[in-house]
């Protein structure tokens, strides 16, 4: 799929579970040439759908190894260095939730990892599998063929009504028997069973079709399981699921080798989609039209697979339908795996897709994200938190007079995060009274808050008629039926966990000058993926830029085959025939984290003033020259002074005046030219507003101002002064702040001196200004501007708003 935002057809869900081999002896394997072959363990890691993550294994000798889980749920481990018995666990996400489930075996060959193998192992150990893993060199003695067989037999007895309903006989080994994703047999059992652990001893097993459940104490044996009366109702439910899957199978067949024709796709919609279908504001007609007219960007990709898991029944009271189910649907193709919960309804003769009946698209496949941004000067910043991207693609919510949305949940403020409707734009941005409200990333800088967030925490989004400046979760009433609740598989990464090694490293382009991008032609892009091999890989590359002549943003992208061997480390972006970039461009990459922590995003910024040499994503590479001439920059070490940063090549204020003078175009101006103005970076991410409180705007009587980057807001004070260098006629705009002005300031004290050059326009709104800046901070050695020699010289282009 080509759209990174949550696309409304996420109900098309995920991967096929591959067949596994048979078990064998743990003795060395010898071929006909008398060569000893590697010992391997393979199987399927699935919980109703393939697990997206990693399989780990530990031997009785304490040795470990791991392997990524393939898109079809299969895995293979070479265990030459390990001795039996083995303990395995799969860690990742499935059906939109984070999980860690276990299995075990005493022989190489086939060992599956499913919620049922986890249940069996805990019964065999008579203790928590996590506890056994931590001390496996001793706990391994608790597992042998006899104990595993006894535990497997007990679990078979407890699950027998569901096993019977699915046609799974008593001769099936629940840990090693092969199964396929054909909605029958073991696959059907996994589709309809939920197993959870409220304590280390008590296991709750639920039939999601009937909502019946039983509890098992793993420290005892012989406990009852499902009542035999469950079999009939389960059989009916599994039959319903098979009928629902017929529609999905038909859609898979349409996209098996190529995009379907308009006639064939329309026929499928008319057969399998309800007339009152609604999904994220998109109805049946608009969804079909989008799939037909978007060139395939808003529809399934060729060769996609889908897995359905029943989450529970759906109350159809008040509708014309006789029954319904909530179904977790996991969509998978060669580019991505995504899942969402959708509804299916029965009209008396057919099962029909009903959508999610929601007005907007919410990111119910996970909120966590982390971001590394490398500026055009090489300075690196990390962000971590929640991506609250929410869309109203079809203006459905707008037409219902929705004005705002509030997200609540762990890690967010008690009053929630208020989002304002962006019109035009058809999406919600985080409300900022001092900013544009365009941002959707809620950044969390407090690691204590982040670390307190549990796996699979629940989040809620509510729609309101009130505008964002007055709406309140405590006093406002949300739209009935439009409160969305979903889980986030894993908390975001801690700020302290983030490092450049987690993100891709850019190789080509070799520098961050706009001229190197060749916009208007083919742009080769190359990178190295993060280590280790089981880590995330780049799945999407995106380039956006601005053209002054047309006054428009442009974008081109490339989605990558994450199933390719070897994985992609290069692509070519096509910008043939498109206007060039005048001031800036951003190269964006995205990778899915196998630990379930959402997206790892990377942005490289390009500008006409960027260094001409390659910039590594660790520190600022410095200026383009060591001479104090126009264009000189000190460079910035982002990691210095415990993250407060400091210049790589410190300079004095006299050096700064030399650079400004060499530019020859610095402007004289007064307080009246500045007051009431707002200046923003060309990408709109940072803004400085110079307010008027009636003060003189001198050093002795400064004016107030506000800085905002869409995430954080800081107060500062500002004044205008005349340059004092010989024969200089220009002015300086000075802004400063400290903990008394802004308690949340990242450093105790800072000051920036700006010299301005108008490079496009006459000073009215829309004019572009080049600011040469001299920065001082409290962590620098000498805080006196006139005599100090440890400041930073840098430049930035900003647009008057």
């Amino acid at each position: 799929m080509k759209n990174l935002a949550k696309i409304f057809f996420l109900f098309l869900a995920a991967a096929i579970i591959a067949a596994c081999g048979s078990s064998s002896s743990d003795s060395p394997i010898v071929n006909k040439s008398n060569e000893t072959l590697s010992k391997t363990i393979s199987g399927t890691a699935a919980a109703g759908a393939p697990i997206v993550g990693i399989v780990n294994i530990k031997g009785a000798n304490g040795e470990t190894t791991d392997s990524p889980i393939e898109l079809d749920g299969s895995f293979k481990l070479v265990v030459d260095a390990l001795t039996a018995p083995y303990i395995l666990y799969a860690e990742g996400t499935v059906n939109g939730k984070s999980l860690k489930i276990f299995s075990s075996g005493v022989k190489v060959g086939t060992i599956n990892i499913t919620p049922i193998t986890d249940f069996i192992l805990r019964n065999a150990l008579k203790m928590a599998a996590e506890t056994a893993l931590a001390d496996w060199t001793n706990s391994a003695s608790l597992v042998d063929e006899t104990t595993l067989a006894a535990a497997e037999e007990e679990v078979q007895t407890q699950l027998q009504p569901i096993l019977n309903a699915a046609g799974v006989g008593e001769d099936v080994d629940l840990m090693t028997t092969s199964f396929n994703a054909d909605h029958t047999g073991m696959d059907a059992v996994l589709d309809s069973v939920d197993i959870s652990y409220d304590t280390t001893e008590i296991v709750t097993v639920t039939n999601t079709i009937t909502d019946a459940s039983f509890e098992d104490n793993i420290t005892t044996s012989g406990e009852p399981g499902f009542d035999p009366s469950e079999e009939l109702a389960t059989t009916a439910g599994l039959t319903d699921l098979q009928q629902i899957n017929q529609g999905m199978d038909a859609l898979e067949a349409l996209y098996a080798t190529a995009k379907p024709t308009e006639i064939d796709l329309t026929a499928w919609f008319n057969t399998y989609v309800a007339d009152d279908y609604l999904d994220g504001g998109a109805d049946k007609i608009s969804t079909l039209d989008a799939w037909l007219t978007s060139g395939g960007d808003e529809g399934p990709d060729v060769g996609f697979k889908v897995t359905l898991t029943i989450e529970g029944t759906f109350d159809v009271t008040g509708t014309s339908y006789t029954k319904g189910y909530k179904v977790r649907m996991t969509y998978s193709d060669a580019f991505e795996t995504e899942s969402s919960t959708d509804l299916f309804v029965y009209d008396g003769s057919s099962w029909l897709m009903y959508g999610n009946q929601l007005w907007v698209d919410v990111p119910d496949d996970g909120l966590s994200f982390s971001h590394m941004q490398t500026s055009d000067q090489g300075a690196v910043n990390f962000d971590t938190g929640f991506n609250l991207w929410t869309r109203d693609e079809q203006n459905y919510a707008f037409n219902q007079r929705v004005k705002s949305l509030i997200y609540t949940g762990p890690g967010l403020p008690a009053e929630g995060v208020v989002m304002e409707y962006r019109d035009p734009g058809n999406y919600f941005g985080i409300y900022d009274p001092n900013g544009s409200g365009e941002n959707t990333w809620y950044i969390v800088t407090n690691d204590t808050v982040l670390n307190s967030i549990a796996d699979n925490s629940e989040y809620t989004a509510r729609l309101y008629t009130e505008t964002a400046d007055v709406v309140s979760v405590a006093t406002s009433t949300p739209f009935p039926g439009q409160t969305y609740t979903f889980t986030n598989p894993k908390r975001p990464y801690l700020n302290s966990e983030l490092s450049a090694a987690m993100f891709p490293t850019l190789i080509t382009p070799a520098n961050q000058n706009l001229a190197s991008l060749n916009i208007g032609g083919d742009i080769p892009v190359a990178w190295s993926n993060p280590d280790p091999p089981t880590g995330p890989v780049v799945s999407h590359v995106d380039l956006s830029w601005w053209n002054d002549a047309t006054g428009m943003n442009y974008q081109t992208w490339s989605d990558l085959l994450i199933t390719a061997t070897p994985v992609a480390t290069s692509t070519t972006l096509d910008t043939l025939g498109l206007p060039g970039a005048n001031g800036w461009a951003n190269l964006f990459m995205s990778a899915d984290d196998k630990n379930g922590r959402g997206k790892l995003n990377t942005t490289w910024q390009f500008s006409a003033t960027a260094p001409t040499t390659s910039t590594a994503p660790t520190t600022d590479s410095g200026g383009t020259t060591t001479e104090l001439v126009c264009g000189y920059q000190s460079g910035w070490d982002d990691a210095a002074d415990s993250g407060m940063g400091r210049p790589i090549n410190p300079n004095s204020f006299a050096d700064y005046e030399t650079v400004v003078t060499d530019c020859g175009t610095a402007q004289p101006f007064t307080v009246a030219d500045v007051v009431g103005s707002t200046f923003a970076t060309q990408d709109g991410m940072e803004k400085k507003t110079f307010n008027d409180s009636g003060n003189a705007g001198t050093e002795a009587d400064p004016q107030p101002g506000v800085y905002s980057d869409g995430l954080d807001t800081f107060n500062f004070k500002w004044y205008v002064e005349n340059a004092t260098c010989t024969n200089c006629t220009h002015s300086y705009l000075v802004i400063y702040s400290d903990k008394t002005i802004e308690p949340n300031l990242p450093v105790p004290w800072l000051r920036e001196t700006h010299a301005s050059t108008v490079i496009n326009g006459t000073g009215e709104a829309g004019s572009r200004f080049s600011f040469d800046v001299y920065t001082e901070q409290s962590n620098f050695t000498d805080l006196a501007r006139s005599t100090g020699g440890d400041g930073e010289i840098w430049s930035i282009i900003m647009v008057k708003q």
Side-chain angles (χ1 to χ4, degrees):
M1 299 180 194
K2 309 302 187 294
N3 196 329
L4 283 183
K6 178 184 178 291
I7 303 173
F8 54 71
F9 58 82
L10 286 181
F11 59 74
L12 301 170
I16 192 168
I17 299 176
C20 307
S22 57
S23 60
S24 63
S25 168
D26 194 47
S27 302
I29 303 169
V30 179
N31 65 11
K32 292 182 179 180
S33 300
N34 205 34
E35 297 173 328
T36 301
L37 304 179
S38 292
K39 297 187 299 180
T40 62
I41 291 176
S42 59
T44 298
I51 296 169
V52 179
I54 301 169
V55 167
N56 300 266
I57 185 170
K58 179 183 283 189
N61 59 350
E63 294 293 324
T64 63
T65 188
D66 58 57
S67 175
I69 301 169
E70 301 299 330
L71 288 181
D72 62 0
S74 63
F75 65 89
K76 185 175 183 179
L77 299 155
V78 176
V79 295
D80 289 338
L82 283 64
T83 58
Y86 311 100
I87 185 169
L88 302 85
Y89 64 94
E91 189 169 23
T93 58
V94 68
N95 292 331
K97 293 185 178 181
S98 171
L99 83 172
K100 182 178 181 180
I101 55 175
F102 290 79
S103 190
S104 185
V106 296
K107 299 176 182 178
V108 295
T110 299
I111 305 176
N112 296 319
I113 308 176
T114 71
I116 294 175
T117 68
D118 186 289
F119 187 24
I120 293 170
L121 177 59
R122 292 172 192 266
N123 271 282
L125 292 169
K126 306 300 182 189
M127 63 189 298
E130 294 85 352
T131 303
L133 172 67
D135 188 29
W136 188 244
T137 54
N138 293 313
S139 300
S141 62
L142 301 175
V143 173
D144 56 31
E145 287 187 288
T146 301
T147 56
L148 285 177
E152 199 269 350
E153 183 178 357
E154 179 174 347
V155 170
Q156 275 222 7
T157 300
Q158 293 172 311
L159 299 181
Q160 204 59 57
I162 293 181
L163 295 172
N164 289 343
V168 177
E170 295 182 5
D171 57 336
V172 169
D173 189 311
L174 300 179
M175 300 188 81
T176 63
T177 296
S178 301
F179 59 92
N180 294 309
D182 55 5
H183 319 304
T184 63
M186 276 300 299
D187 184 52
V189 175
L190 293 173
D191 286 345
S192 57
V193 170
D194 178 77
I195 302 177
S196 60
Y197 306 90
D198 296 330
T199 69
T200 57
E201 296 180 355
I202 304 300
V203 180
T204 301
V205 185
T206 303
N207 182 339
T208 59
I209 294 174
T210 65
D211 292 327
S213 64
F214 69 86
E215 289 187 349
D216 178 277
N217 188 322
I218 61 174
T219 64
T220 61
S221 301
E223 294 174 290
F226 284 118
D227 189 286
S229 62
E230 284 290 293
E231 184 175 333
L232 184 60
T234 303
T235 300
L238 290 176
T239 299
D240 291 339
L241 184 58
Q242 288 176 337
Q243 292 176 0
I244 292 171
N245 269 299
Q246 289 176 4
M248 294 298 100
D249 291 343
L251 190 63
E252 286 182 6
L254 285 180
Y255 283 85
T257 58
K259 299 286 184 180
T261 65
E262 179 177 349
I263 293 175
D264 288 342
L265 188 58
T266 301
W268 183 87
F269 264 76
N270 290 336
T271 303
Y272 295 108
V273 180
D275 288 339
D276 51 351
Y277 168 93
L278 184 68
D279 194 87
D283 60 17
K284 177 178 180 178
I285 295 174
S286 62
T287 301
L288 173 60
D289 182 66
W291 287 19
L292 291 173
T293 61
S294 66
D297 288 346
E298 295 193 355
D301 275 294
V302 173
F304 84 92
K305 296 295 179 182
V306 61
T307 299
L308 310 183
T309 306
I310 290 179
E311 288 191 337
T313 57
F314 164 57
D315 186 2
V316 295
T317 302
T319 72
S320 61
Y321 304 105
T322 60
K323 55 182 174 178
Y325 288 111
K326 294 179 182 179
V327 177
R328 192 69 185 184
M329 314 183 74
T330 304
Y331 168 98
S332 181
D333 57 32
F335 300 96
E336 61 189 341
T337 296
E338 297 175 311
S339 65
S340 65
T341 297
D342 275 79
L343 307 174
F344 281 80
V345 290
Y346 188 66
D347 66 359
S349 60
S350 302
W351 281 97
L352 303 171
M353 294 178 62
Y354 200 46
N356 55 24
Q357 293 298 302
L358 303 180
W359 294 355
V360 298
D361 282 331
V362 293
D364 65 348
D365 198 36
L367 300 174
S368 296
F369 87 97
S370 296
H371 180 230
M372 182 182 81
Q373 178 170 285
T374 303
S375 75
D376 58 321
Q377 295 302 317
V380 175
N381 291 308
F382 295 103
D383 292 317
T384 187
F386 301 93
N387 186 3
L388 305 180
W389 177 251
T390 309
R391 304 185 70 188
D392 181 26
E393 187 73 26
Q394 302 298 322
N395 289 317
Y396 196 98
F398 179 79
N399 292 335
Q400 305 300 319
R401 300 185 179 181
V402 171
K403 299 286 196 311
S404 60
L405 178 154
I406 299 179
Y407 275 95
T408 56
L412 303 179
E415 66 275 14
V417 177
V418 177
M419 313 281 288
E420 63 177 319
Y421 194 96
R422 303 296 298 168
D423 178 38
N426 313 109
Y427 72 97
F428 294 83
I430 296 175
Y431 174 63
D432 177 7
N434 299 304
S436 66
E438 295 177 352
N439 185 51
T440 63
W441 288 356
Y442 182 78
I443 308 301
V444 183
T445 59
N446 190 322
D447 278 358
T448 301
V449 171
L450 290 173
N451 207 30
S452 67
I453 301 173
D455 290 351
N456 299 318
S457 288
E458 189 172 274
Y459 293 81
T460 301
R462 299 175 176 88
L463 300 181
Y464 297 87
T465 56
E466 291 96 334
T467 56
D469 58 333
V470 299
V471 71
S472 167
V473 72
T475 61
S476 302
T477 302
F479 276 96
Q482 293 302 309
T483 295
Y484 315 152
T485 301
F486 45 90
T487 59
N488 190 41
K490 287 278 190 181
R491 64 158 173 81
Y493 276 104
L494 305 180
N495 290 273
S496 59
E497 292 174 325
L498 297 177
S499 69
M502 296 169 56
F503 298 85
T505 300
L506 187 64
I507 299 173
T508 304
N511 62 73
Q512 288 170 257
N513 274 307
L514 275 178
S516 69
L517 282 178
N518 189 38
I519 294 177
D522 286 334
I523 301 176
V525 182
W527 63 91
S528 60
N529 285 309
D531 288 329
T534 53
V537 297
V538 173
S539 59
H540 178 92
V541 179
D542 192 299
L543 179 69
S544 60
W545 69 93
W546 173 266
N547 182 272
D548 283 328
T550 64
M552 294 179 63
N553 281 314
Y554 295 87
Q555 183 183 42
T556 186
W557 63 82
S558 175
D559 287 325
L560 307 170
L561 293 170
I562 59 177
T563 57
T565 303
V567 296
T569 55
S570 65
T571 190
T572 298
L573 299 175
D574 179 9
T575 64
L576 291 172
L578 294 175
N582 300 105
W584 62 268
N586 288 330
L587 182 68
F588 177 87
M589 291 184 179
S590 179
D592 289 304
D593 177 49
K594 288 186 179 294
N595 289 317
R597 300 203 193 278
K599 297 286 185 181
L600 291 176
N601 304 307
T602 311
T603 302
W604 284 273
Q605 295 181 330
F606 292 76
S607 79
T609 60
T612 57
T613 56
S614 178
T615 57
T618 52
T619 55
D620 191 317
S621 64
T624 60
T625 176
T626 58
E627 297 181 44
L628 296 175
V629 295
C630 189
Y632 170 86
Q633 302 199 53
S634 307
W636 182 256
D637 184 349
D638 196 58
D641 292 359
S642 301
M644 288 190 293
R646 64 183 303 118
I648 295 175
N649 301 301
N651 290 101
S652 68
F653 191 71
D655 292 339
Y656 170 70
E657 289 188 317
T658 299
V659 171
V660 173
T661 301
D662 187 73
C663 290
T665 53
Q667 301 293 305
F669 53 85
T670 66
V671 171
D673 295 322
V674 179
V675 70
S677 299
T678 296
F679 294 87
T681 53
Q682 294 178 96
D683 58 7
M685 293 179 65
E686 299 181 27
K687 293 185 178 181
K688 293 175 183 176
T689 299
F690 298 90
N691 295 321
D692 185 5
S693 64
N695 296 349
T698 62
E699 184 174 6
D701 189 23
Q703 291 271 32
V706 178
Y707 166 87
S708 173
D709 59 7
L711 305 173
D712 296 307
T713 300
F714 296 122
N715 295 302
F716 62 78
K717 293 187 177 181
W718 65 275
Y719 60 90
V720 173
E721 65 178 5
N722 293 325
T724 58
C725 48
T726 303
N727 297 323
C728 291
T729 61
H730 56 269
S731 306
Y732 291 134
L733 173 61
V734 181
I735 69 172
Y736 67 92
S737 189
D738 58 30
K739 291 290 187 180
T740 63
I741 300 171
E742 177 50 65
N744 294 321
L745 197 68
V747 293
W749 179 94
L750 65 80
R751 175 173 54 203
E752 291 183 348
T753 302
H754 301 70
S756 169
T757 301
V758 180
I759 62 173
N760 182 279
T762 59
E764 76 283 0
S767 296
R768 292 199 304 151
F769 291 76
S770 175
F771 288 102
D772 291 304
V773 187
Y774 187 72
T775 300
E776 304 153 276
Q777 288 183 187
S778 50
N779 57 301
F780 299 176
T781 305
D782 187 345
L783 303 183
R785 190 180 70 172
S786 60
T787 60
D790 59 357
E792 182 202 8
I793 301 172
W794 57 287
S795 60
I796 188 172
I797 296 174
M798 301 192 79
V799 181
K800 189 173 183 179
Q801 304 299 289

